Amino acid sequence: MAELVAEGLANQQIADRLVIARRTAEGHVERILGKLGFSNRSQIAAWVTAQR
């Protein structure tokens, strides 16, 4: 999921790609933000890039 955020996909695009509801995708992104202590999606993207 974090990699999809790093690709710049919106929640609806992530949901479409994973065949889940948009709200489910939103929840996953919010949990990723919380677990990593981040406040925005660009921080997730930077983290994913650093992990590669």
Side-chain angles (χ1 to χ4, degrees), residues 8-31:
L9 298 181
N11 290 336
Q12 185 61 57
Q13 293 170 310
I14 292 170
D16 292 344
R17 174 109 32 117
L18 299 178
V19 191
I20 58 176
R22 180 189 50 80
R23 184 66 189 104
T24 302
E26 289 174 8
H28 286 307
V29 172
E30 289 300 318
R31 279 188 286 287

Side-chain angles (χ1 to χ4, degrees), residues 29-30 32-45:
V29 172
E30 289 300 318
I32 291 168
L33 288 168
K35 285 186 176 191
L36 295 175
F38 296 156
S39 59
N40 61 60
R41 297 167 76 96
S42 63
Q43 290 174 303
I44 295 173

